[in-house]
Amino acid sequence: MMSGSQWELPPELCCRPMAFVALTGLDVVFNAVHRAIWDAFCANRRADRVPISFKVLPGDHEYPKCRTKRTSYEWYIPKGILKTSWMNKHLNLVPALVVLFYELDWDDPQWKEKQSECATKVEIVRTSLQGRNTKVAVVLIQKKTPLPPGEDLVASERASALCNACDLSGKSLFVLPHTDHLVGYIIRLENAFYEHAQTYYYTEIRRVKSHKEFLNKTTHQLLFVRHQFKIAFFSELKQDTQNALKYYRTAYSLVHELRAHETNMLEIKTLAGFINYKICRLCFQHNTPLDAIAQFRKHMDLCKKKIGSAELAFEHSAWMSKQFQSFGELFDEAIKLGLTAIQTQNPGFYYQQAACYSQDRKQLAQQLCQAGVSYPSADPLDPQSGGLDYYGQRPWRQGQQSIDPPDAEKEKMGILALQIKERDVPHSELIIALLSNAVAQFKKYKCPRMKSHLMVQMGEEYYHAKDYTKALKLLDYVMCDYRTERWWALLTAILSTALRCAYLMASVKDYVIYSMELLGRASTLKEEQRSRIEKNLFKVLMNEVPDAEPECDSSTVSAARSLWTDRMALSGSNELTIEVQDYIPFIQCKARFQSPSFHVDQPIQLQVFLRADCPHPVSFSKLTVSLSNQEYNQWCDMESSGQSLTLLPGKTRCYHFSFVAKTEDVGKKVEMTGIEVMLGSDSGRCVFLSWRGAGGDAASAQEALQASRSSRRWGRGLEARQELDWDSLTLQHSTMIISRVPKICVQLSHLPPALISEMYCIRLTVQSHEDTVAKDVKLTAGLKPGQDANLGQATHVTLDQSVLCDDSAPSLLADVPLGDLKPGEQLEKCVYVRCVSFGPRLFLFHVAYSMETAVEGQQIICRCHKDETLTIETVVPFEVSVKFVSTKFEPLEQVAVDIPFLLMTDIMSSSPWPLLLSSSSLQLLTVTSHTAQPESQLQQVVLQTGESASECFCLRCPPGTNSTNTVSTGQYLISWRRKSCGSESPLIQTAVSLPYIILEPVPVYIHADLPSFGRVRESLPVRYHIENRTALVQEVEIAVEPSDAFMFSGLKQVHLLVLPGTQQHMLYNYYPLMAGYQTLPHLNISLPRCPASNVLALRRFLPQRIFVKPQGRQPDDASIAAA
Amino acid sequence: MAVCIAVIAKENYPLYIRSVPTQNELKFHYTVHTSLDVVEEKISAVGKSIGDQRELYLGLLYPTEDYKVYGYVTNSKVKFVIVVDSSNTSLRDNEIRSMFRKLHNSFTDVMCNPFYNPGDPIQSKAFNGIVSGMMVQTG
């Protein structure tokens, strides 16, 4: 028996018992028909077919002999509980049914001979089964398809004859026609066989049960268990699993009633384990997993303390481990068949516990199996008759049931042999296999921490098995979980194991990494341990062999020492870079730029804080900071020249670096990409600790958070102290280089608001406060980019004030050179802005220059610039209103052709500043000026805010324009400027469109010539003109109505004809009687030829009233003479 | 009485762990740490149904061969874990509950201390005293 497999459950226990049926008389090798029948039995044994295990045996097969039945148990003393051969016997050797296949048709010509041959064969089988209850059946293989039962008289007659000859019941004779439907016949056959088999097992159960009455409780305790087990097993064969479970349960309780002592403990436990296995298996099969678990718990509780022989205590652990493992496997198998497990109840726990007992086993084996004892010459573990008779017995005293071992010497030898065997067991392998099973389960059931824990155990086991590479791989993998979860005690324990592995492998890099972390602040090691580790680390740095870790055993240490010596002798490769960011190293590093931005003329300041957490001072030889622009790196390293760079335990050291930024880096970021601290020296071993970015490690983020919480609590009182507080030191890993602060003064003077279209003057004054010459001063001025796109088209900037700028002028003048500016000097520049739409605008004035300056003794040329912005509101300078009126100043809706009318304009200033109107003019279309083009009436008029200036023009629409539609009349042009602007500044011309007019033809135009005023009692001559503008002769009737205010002379009523294109004159002398505004006598005009014409329309050009002055005192008044 | 009592921060790192000194302290650390798997699972299972008033006491987290591990989670996700010897069958669920309540009360007192920074390891003597009262008295 292999020691590793000693605890394995026998396969006949673990399989599913099935009824055993032997088939004889089949020649499966040479007979094709028989082969086909056999294949039909064997192939496709799916779950829907009856559970039978078939075997082909020769007709004269010898079945195991049946022992003579005991008639009395009175003197019988059992030697053990269960024979090792029993289960196999009933599974594979003793059939429930033997089936004889015989080729015979009902109408066989040699019927008689064949019948007797068949009977002989049946007899041979019967003889071989002497004393057993095994059934025998005969199957006739026939070539012909049988007739339906009852129709073939020959058949039924011969069948009964054959039954008689073979001494068979009719139920045991079958016919198998060898036709197309073989499988169908076979299935029917095997169902019949199954019934026979069930009957057989039923009788077997009855038989075993019948023994019970002969047993007594004192001597036959073992038999009670045996019999219950057998009944249960037969029930299983019978596929009666419910009863099987019942009997197994009884067997289980009986097994624990056995008198247990040291010598039979193993046997009891073995059997208990078997029965427990069967119960759990059946419970899972019955889909009652909780019963299975409960049974297993009970089993474990009962057996946990049954250790047995103290010298073989490892056996108990091995057995316990196996129990847990088998249960885990059963559980797992049930899950595969559809059972659902949960996080807290899954097979993983059982594998884990199995591993745990295997660990116990290993420890016990180490304690109990002392080395150096040779194996006994006469092997006590080799039983004489090849294998054990009974399960769980000792080979050297089989069948002994007495309490004391019969031979003390043999017993001692046996135990010794077992102990020696145990020494060779690959315990670690077993443990690791179980742990890895458990890991797989816990992974499945979402237990990451349990998984990590088991992986640690696996790692430790690999360490014990001296497979350090695998150990480190596992430990390294889980370390980071414990680190991120901040379980320092566990991390420290894992690191310590890892350090031992690294030491034993002489892996320098690993050794340094783990030492570093064990010295760090996350380590929970005691001070003396840390001190020891630090000393060892220094030794490694000096290229010396470190001292052994205390918990390594001496045999491995010497091997490790020679490994280290070899490693140290190896030349080269004494440089080692360790990325420490993801660890918690013993040197902490945090770096920051002192400001998030620096001006290019300031030196960039950088601080690197280092702090050692180890117990002894540590010195390093180099500190370098790498920056995103590598050109700066040369300024950021530090080497120990002379005075060494030493970190004292628990103290923070700050290292300053500063450098001058390059002027081309203005506007760029400078980032720290890494920090390196070199430990050791070139003469020994150089270890570079490398941090990415600005330092920090796996724990610093959380520490900073904690620190921020506490400082928040304590308020600002601690702010001053913060410089010293390591945890609240914040990283500043990048800084911005920004341009130098300009030392110039830019002033803007202007008179807001701007007026639309004017050349708005902004006076820019630049004064230098620099110490040196500001060279290459450039101005960019104009509309600040990024505003409404329409503004860009409505804004024009120029430097030339003499010409009014047009649309081609840009909205932003870029880089206008202004020359150099000496210290203290000042320059002025006017910028003119023309805005053609109103609203606010943002203007930018950007003055840039370059100058030389010295930073830290380094001359640099830097460009500076100063920006000024200005919001300017643009307003309308004046409002212009224009209207057409008749010569009588009546508002006109329509303009009569060829009749004068008036254009009235009104300019109202809305500018806050006085405006000078230089001139105004009309640009007429369609209409013409009635008078000669006069000089503008507004020439050189100055308008203050709110004042207005008006003009009047007499216009006429020339004859011949007979458009009845609306027509445009032209523009009104105004030239103006601010009064404050000098005469050199250009005039602005604003054009106002004149309103459209509707033209109206006048067929008969009647108007009057009369003086501008009359005088009481003085003659007032009035001449009426009647003008016919049609191509027809017009007949006109005119009558003058009398008036109180006037006397008159002339025709009172007249009827006249006016030829086309001519006019008639009528002269009246009016004689005013009253002073004041007087209504002139009414002229009644009618055109008899066209009665539709309106008197009012004809009369509308005639004056209505006239002002009559009172009579003057001086008769020679000049005005009267004029009248 | 308990053999190990632990307070675990919201982020799952230990704020306080105390175990009986006679046994392997590390083993208890592992036991408490692995029990967080179950705690996490239980907490996340509750969160799914809204308005579900979670009971703070989580009950038996998982049984091992040697110990029973009980859990309790405050509303601020601070976890309490009590480990009891499996052989100690006299301890009832109610007693465990009351132990947790006492622990919670004492923890609240610790939090109320203006000098205590939440998230730092608990070093309160009063808390320690309460825990001592609940631990198995050895020697």
Side-chain angles (χ1 to χ4, degrees):
Chain A
M1 211 184 278
M2 283 289 294
S3 49
S5 64
Q6 181 193 349
W7 308 103
E8 293 296 330
L9 297 174
E12 56 266 34
L13 180 79
C14 303
C15 69
R16 178 191 173 192
M18 287 194 288
F20 174 37
V21 172
L23 309 180
T24 66
L26 286 178
D27 180 4
V28 293
V29 182
F30 297 109
N31 190 322
V33 174
H34 293 187
R35 176 83 221 171
I37 293 168
W38 170 235
D39 285 346
F41 275 115
C42 301
N44 291 324
R45 291 218 67 87
R46 286 188 310 251
D48 56 339
R49 296 197 35 188
V50 285
I52 300 179
S53 85
F54 289 106
K55 222 179 240 185
V56 170
L57 294 174
D60 52 354
H61 179 77
E62 293 272 344
Y63 298 96
K65 286 276 176 295
C66 184
R67 244 183 291 119
T68 47
K69 290 282 172 279
R70 210 177 292 282
T71 48
S72 157
Y73 279 87
E74 209 165 328
W75 300 105
Y76 175 68
I77 293 168
K79 289 180 177 166
I81 302 174
L82 188 65
K83 278 207 173 156
T84 51
S85 58
W86 189 83
M87 281 187 282
N88 186 45
K89 189 168 83 180
H90 287 279
L91 285 169
N92 296 315
L93 301 177
V94 178
L97 173 72
V98 178
V99 183
L100 176 68
F101 284 83
Y102 191 71
E103 286 188 38
L104 183 61
D105 277 275
W106 295 127
D107 52 356
D108 196 285
Q110 294 165 296
W111 169 258
K112 273 271 178 256
E113 291 80 355
K114 293 235 168 141
Q115 177 184 313
S116 64
E117 191 193 356
C118 180
T120 320
K121 285 192 169 174
V122 169
E123 196 46 42
I124 292 167
V125 171
R126 283 235 172 87
T127 323
S128 169
L129 289 168
Q130 194 78 59
R132 299 224 176 258
N133 296 321
T134 305
K135 306 270 186 233
V136 179
V138 172
V139 176
L140 297 179
I141 303 170
Q142 297 189 336
K143 293 188 183 71
K144 292 191 183 117
T145 317
L147 295 166
E151 285 182 25
D152 193 345
L153 290 174
V154 182
S156 49
E157 178 207 316
R158 287 194 168 175
S160 65
L162 187 65
C163 282
N164 279 335
C166 302
D167 190 17
L168 281 175
S169 85
K171 282 183 183 166
S172 302
L173 179 65
F174 304 95
V175 169
L176 176 61
H178 176 56
T179 56
D180 297 341
H181 309 291
L182 185 64
V183 176
Y185 284 112
I186 295 290
I187 285 173
R188 279 168 66 183
L189 267 183
E190 70 183 23
N191 286 337
F193 296 165
Y194 182 60
E195 270 178 44
H196 282 291
Q198 290 218 319
T199 323
Y200 166 75
Y201 291 120
Y202 175 71
T203 49
E204 286 304 291
I205 291 166
R206 292 285 301 273
R207 187 175 60 76
V208 179
K209 274 185 180 170
S210 68
H211 300 324
K212 198 180 171 184
E213 52 187 297
F214 304 110
L215 305 181
N216 70 61
K217 286 216 166 152
T218 47
T219 47
H220 297 140
Q221 263 198 324
L222 299 179
L223 293 183
F224 280 108
V225 179
R226 183 192 293 174
H227 291 163
Q228 286 301 317
F229 184 86
K230 285 185 175 180
I231 295 168
F233 196 79
F234 281 129
S235 301
E236 265 198 285
L237 282 165
K238 194 176 162 245
Q239 307 306 319
D240 181 1
T241 53
Q242 293 295 353
N243 276 319
L245 183 59
K246 195 179 89 189
Y247 293 120
Y248 280 131
R249 281 192 193 280
T250 327
Y252 188 81
S253 52
L254 286 170
V255 95
H256 281 292
E257 283 171 24
L258 294 177
R259 276 185 297 273
H261 37 85
E262 221 175 84
T263 46
N264 74 346
M265 192 63 95
L266 183 63
E267 187 174 9
I268 291 174
K269 276 194 304 193
T270 305
L271 257 293
F274 284 7
I275 300 166
N276 171 68
Y277 179 85
K278 279 289 189 192
I279 295 172
C280 294
R281 195 189 152 88
L282 288 172
C283 287
F284 278 123
Q285 199 179 318
H286 292 161
N287 205 13
T288 51
L290 293 180
D291 289 356
I293 292 167
Q295 161 65 28
F296 184 72
R297 289 242 59 84
K298 188 175 107 189
H299 174 53
M300 284 294 95
D301 289 345
L302 284 169
C303 297
K304 206 170 6 184
K305 297 278 147 45
K306 298 195 172 170
I307 295 165
S309 162
E311 290 148 303
L312 297 173
F314 54 83
E315 282 194 331
H316 178 66
S317 298
W319 180 81
M320 287 292 280
S321 169
K322 194 70 215 170
Q323 296 302 304
F324 276 100
Q325 188 192 347
S326 330
F327 187 76
E329 282 163 1
L330 275 179
F331 199 168
D332 200 14
E333 216 167 284
I335 289 164
K336 280 180 192 138
L337 292 173
L339 184 72
T340 44
I342 53 168
Q343 189 193 36
T344 50
Q345 192 54 264
N346 71 62
F349 286 102
Y350 299 96
Y351 289 129
Q352 186 201 6
Q353 204 55 45
C356 198
Y357 275 109
S358 280
Q359 281 162 344
D360 285 356
R361 174 187 183 183
K362 190 180 85 174
Q363 273 180 5
L364 288 168
Q366 276 166 356
Q367 286 166 20
L368 296 170
C369 312
Q370 61 277 57
V373 184
S374 60
Y375 197 78
S377 51
D379 188 357
L381 301 186
D382 184 30
Q384 289 76 9
S385 52
L388 286 171
D389 279 348
Y390 287 92
Y391 284 118
Q393 292 193 344
R394 298 293 182 195
W396 62 87
R397 49 169 166 81
Q398 287 199 57
Q400 301 287 335
Q401 285 297 330
S402 59
I403 290 173
D404 293 318
D407 185 340
E409 189 54 33
K410 253 191 181 175
E411 190 71 18
K412 217 172 127 191
M413 280 297 119
I415 288 170
L416 185 64
L418 283 174
Q419 287 176 340
I420 289 167
K421 277 233 154 111
E422 183 69 15
R423 260 195 346 229
D424 301 335
V425 173
H427 290 110
S428 293
E429 242 173 66
L430 296 175
I431 296 166
I432 288 164
L434 288 168
L435 285 172
S436 95
N437 273 351
V439 165
Q441 294 292 335
F442 283 115
K443 203 166 160 184
K444 206 155 91 186
Y445 295 102
K446 287 193 229 157
C447 302
R449 293 178 188 85
M450 184 62 104
K451 193 187 114 197
S452 301
H453 175 38
L454 293 171
M455 282 171 78
V456 171
Q457 292 188 347
M458 274 171 85
E460 283 168 352
E461 206 50 56
Y462 274 121
Y463 162 73
H464 292 309
K466 299 192 175 58
D467 192 342
Y468 305 122
T469 320
K470 276 188 184 157
L472 275 192
K473 208 170 157 190
L474 280 162
L475 294 177
D476 213 43
Y477 183 84
V478 291
M479 234 179 252
C480 106
D481 294 342
Y482 290 99
R483 198 181 289 120
T484 47
E485 289 230 297
R486 299 161 49 79
W487 282 72
W488 303 141
L490 300 181
L491 179 64
T492 305
I494 297 165
L495 281 169
S496 303
T497 313
L499 182 65
R500 263 177 268 144
C501 289
Y503 171 74
L504 294 172
M505 285 166 80
S507 162
V508 177
K509 186 167 183 178
D510 291 327
Y511 190 84
V512 172
I513 291 175
Y514 301 135
S515 303
M516 246 172 34
E517 207 163 8
L518 281 170
L519 290 173
R521 60 198 190 283
S523 158
T524 56
L525 286 185
K526 297 233 164 50
E527 205 57 21
E528 65 260 35
Q529 293 271 23
R530 291 155 66 101
S531 169
R532 184 182 58 74
I533 290 172
E534 192 176 0
K535 278 178 191 149
N536 273 337
L537 180 62
F538 289 154
K539 278 191 180 174
V540 173
L541 290 177
M542 305 285 283
N543 216 6
E544 288 169 18
V545 178
D547 290 342
E549 289 302 302
E551 281 159 76
C552 301
D553 57 280
S554 49
S555 64
T556 52
V557 164
S558 58
R561 197 160 285 144
S562 73
L563 264 179
W564 275 100
T565 319
D566 293 353
R567 186 87 15 122
M568 295 308 175
L570 227 62
S571 60
S573 77
N574 59 350
E575 279 193 14
L576 202 59
T577 304
I578 299 169
E579 286 276 346
V580 291
Q581 196 107 66
D582 302 325
Y583 303 108
I584 304 171
F586 73 115
I587 295 178
Q588 295 187 67
C589 169
K590 284 184 177 183
R592 65 179 187 192
F593 286 105
Q594 265 176 325
S595 157
S597 63
F598 284 95
H599 292 288
V600 70
D601 61 331
Q602 294 174 310
I604 293 181
Q605 308 258 336
L606 180 73
Q607 289 176 314
V608 178
F609 297 91
L610 291 179
R611 180 189 166 102
D613 297 317
C614 49
H616 302 294
V618 56
S619 54
F620 60 95
S621 38
K622 221 192 242 177
L623 167 65
T624 57
V625 180
S626 316
L627 297 158
S628 52
N629 187 340
Q630 291 168 4
E631 285 175 59
Y632 298 135
N633 288 358
Q634 52 178 316
W635 309 109
C636 301
D637 66 6
M638 190 178 275
E639 261 183 82
S640 64
S641 52
Q643 120 260 28
S644 65
L645 303 164
T646 307
L647 300 173
L648 296 175
K651 293 274 185 298
T652 304
R653 285 290 301 267
C654 174
Y655 299 93
H656 287 273
F657 296 104
S658 78
F659 57 89
V660 180
K662 300 206 173 300
T663 45
E664 58 264 33
D665 276 355
V666 171
K668 289 184 189 157
K669 241 183 192 178
V670 177
E671 269 180 83
M672 284 188 242
T673 52
I675 300 169
E676 272 193 345
V677 169
M678 188 181 108
L679 298 177
S681 61
D682 296 324
S683 57
R685 190 175 283 281
C686 307
V687 174
F688 293 93
L689 307 187
S690 151
W691 286 266
R692 292 186 298 276
D697 55 41
S700 52
Q702 173 71 23
E703 284 162 358
L705 182 70
Q706 277 299 108
S708 74
R709 277 186 192 161
S710 77
S711 71
R712 197 170 55 213
R713 273 178 155 237
W714 288 97
R716 283 165 193 78
L718 226 63
E719 234 41 25
R721 221 178 57 108
Q722 209 162 40
E723 212 54 47
L724 299 168
D725 182 19
W726 177 266
D727 286 341
S728 48
L729 265 179
T730 48
L731 308 179
Q732 171 76 45
H733 82 290
S734 68
T735 192
M736 192 82 183
I737 300 172
I738 52 178
S739 58
R740 181 177 171 274
V741 178
K743 287 186 186 159
I744 55 165
C745 175
V746 176
Q747 277 180 335
L748 298 166
S749 60
H750 60 123
L751 298 168
L755 307 176
I756 286 185
S757 295
E758 79 164 322
M759 296 284 277
Y760 186 66
C761 174
I762 300 165
R763 189 179 297 276
L764 178 85
T765 313
V766 182
Q767 186 168 22
S768 165
H769 300 301
E770 295 285 1
D771 302 332
T772 54
V773 181
K775 285 184 196 147
D776 197 14
V777 182
K778 280 182 179 164
L779 168 71
T780 298
L783 199 64
K784 192 173 179 175
Q787 300 179 73
D788 185 357
N790 294 331
L791 284 181
Q793 277 145 26
T795 310
H796 309 285
V797 182
T798 179
L799 293 173
D800 183 9
Q801 71 149 332
S802 58
V803 193
L804 203 62
C805 64
D806 54 7
D807 290 353
S808 64
S811 66
L812 181 71
L813 279 177
D815 294 335
V816 179
L818 299 180
D820 295 351
L821 200 57
K822 294 202 182 71
E825 237 180 22
Q826 172 172 331
L827 67 77
E828 281 191 9
K829 192 82 187 169
C830 283
V831 177
Y832 297 91
V833 176
R834 184 161 181 254
C835 307
V836 294
S837 66
F838 64 91
R841 284 170 173 74
L842 189 60
F843 288 92
L844 169 74
F845 296 86
H846 170 97
V847 179
Y849 62 97
S850 63
M851 54 96 53
E852 255 183 55
T853 185
V855 188
E856 306 232 296
Q858 221 181 318
Q859 284 292 325
I860 57 164
I861 296 173
C862 51
R863 285 205 66 83
C864 310
H865 63 86
K866 181 142 187 171
D867 285 359
E868 289 286 336
T869 54
L870 189 62
T871 305
I872 298 173
E873 188 77 31
T874 306
V875 299
V876 182
F878 44 73
E879 306 280 352
V880 179
S881 61
V882 180
K883 62 186 179 198
F884 293 106
V885 292
S886 71
T887 46
K888 289 176 4 189
F889 294 98
E890 289 164 347
L892 278 180
E893 280 168 21
Q894 293 176 325
V895 171
V897 176
D898 201 21
I899 291 167
F901 62 95
L902 297 176
L903 168 68
M904 305 281 296
T905 63
D906 193 34
I907 301 170
M908 162 132 170
S909 166
S910 50
S911 150
W913 307 100
L915 296 178
L916 172 73
L917 302 180
S918 165
S919 69
S920 66
S921 62
L922 284 176
Q923 261 182 2
L924 294 172
L925 283 170
T926 319
V927 292
T928 54
S929 183
H930 189 56
T931 53
Q933 190 77 26
E935 246 186 24
S936 168
Q937 293 147 322
L938 300 176
Q939 215 139 25
Q940 302 302 324
V941 168
V942 173
L943 285 183
Q944 301 291 336
T945 315
E947 287 181 342
S948 59
S950 301
E951 261 187 299
C952 181
F953 300 91
C954 186
L955 305 176
R956 158 203 285 277
C957 187
T961 42
N962 52 357
S963 166
T964 51
N965 294 333
T966 54
V967 292
S968 66
T969 49
Q971 283 183 315
Y972 180 48
L973 302 175
I974 305 155
S975 296
W976 61 277
R977 71 159 80 94
R978 281 190 190 214
K979 185 167 179 276
S980 55
C981 289
S983 56
E984 73 278 6
S985 69
L987 288 168
I988 303 124
Q989 194 148 62
T990 303
V992 181
S993 293
L994 297 175
Y996 284 64
I997 51 172
I998 302 168
L999 291 178
E1000 173 197 26
V1002 177
V1004 177
Y1005 176 38
I1006 300 167
H1007 58 113
D1009 280 344
L1010 74 168
S1012 52
F1013 60 91
R1015 206 181 280 271
V1016 175
R1017 272 182 258 229
E1018 272 180 33
S1019 168
L1020 177 72
V1022 176
R1023 182 186 295 271
Y1024 292 99
H1025 305 266
I1026 302 130
E1027 197 179 327
N1028 178 6
R1029 289 183 175 180
T1030 62
L1032 301 170
V1033 175
Q1034 294 292 341
E1035 211 174 309
V1036 183
E1037 279 184 4
I1038 298 171
V1040 183
E1041 287 179 9
S1043 160
D1044 291 344
F1046 292 94
M1047 290 191 297
F1048 68 93
S1049 69
L1051 300 169
K1052 187 169 185 224
Q1053 189 167 20
V1054 70
H1055 183 109
L1056 46 87
L1057 289 175
V1058 187
L1059 295 175
T1062 64
Q1063 51 178 312
Q1064 291 283 343
H1065 306 281
M1066 306 267 298
L1067 183 68
Y1068 290 89
N1069 267 319
Y1070 290 133
Y1071 190 72
L1073 298 174
M1074 286 180 263
Y1077 274 109
Q1078 299 301 337
T1079 306
L1080 286 168
H1082 245 281
L1083 219 58
N1084 250 334
I1085 306 168
S1086 65
L1087 301 176
R1089 287 210 190 157
C1090 53
S1093 67
N1094 192 341
V1095 179
L1096 285 176
L1098 289 169
R1099 249 185 11 203
R1100 67 186 152 147
F1101 301 108
L1102 294 176
Q1104 299 276 314
R1105 296 186 303 177
I1106 190 160
F1107 186 72
V1108 179
K1109 292 184 178 179
Q1111 206 164 17
R1113 292 217 183 129
Q1114 290 156 320
D1116 53 347
D1117 192 289
S1119 58
I1120 297 167
Chain B
M1 289 278 134
V3 290
C4 174
I5 289 178
V7 181
I8 312 295
K10 177 169 167 271
E11 295 87 357
N12 285 338
Y13 64 87
L15 293 176
Y16 182 94
I17 289 201
R18 191 137 149 244
S19 51
V20 284
T22 47
Q23 290 168 58
N24 185 358
E25 196 189 355
L26 209 57
K27 187 173 160 188
F28 286 117
H29 278 248
Y30 276 119
T31 307
V32 172
H33 184 243
T34 49
S35 74
L36 293 178
D37 284 335
V38 186
V39 174
E40 291 275 280
E41 187 74 14
K42 290 205 177 194
I43 295 174
S44 69
V46 170
K48 279 166 195 156
S49 53
I50 312 143
D52 194 351
Q53 194 63 43
R54 181 171 61 83
E55 208 198 342
L56 303 180
Y57 177 58
L58 298 179
L60 182 65
L61 296 179
Y62 71 96
T64 65
E65 215 42 26
D66 311 314
Y67 303 107
K68 285 184 189 143
V69 186
Y70 295 90
Y72 184 95
V73 180
T74 69
N75 285 318
S76 52
K77 301 272 190 296
V78 172
K79 292 116 190 158
F80 299 133
V81 175
I82 292 180
V83 184
V84 176
D85 209 297
S86 273
S87 58
N88 190 346
T89 48
S90 61
L91 218 53
R92 271 170 233 253
D93 205 49
N94 256 346
E95 292 167 69
I96 301 282
R97 270 175 201 271
S98 80
M99 279 165 82
F100 275 125
R101 256 196 303 277
K102 257 160 79 181
L103 211 56
H104 196 171
N105 286 340
S106 185
F107 176 72
T108 313
D109 291 345
V110 170
M111 292 298 283
C112 291
N113 178 355
F115 296 97
Y116 173 73
N117 188 19
D120 282 350
I122 296 173
Q123 277 149 348
S124 153
K125 275 183 191 161
F127 188 78
N128 214 25
I130 293 284
V131 170
S132 299
M134 289 191 269
M135 298 280 279
V136 171
Q137 305 302 314
T138 51

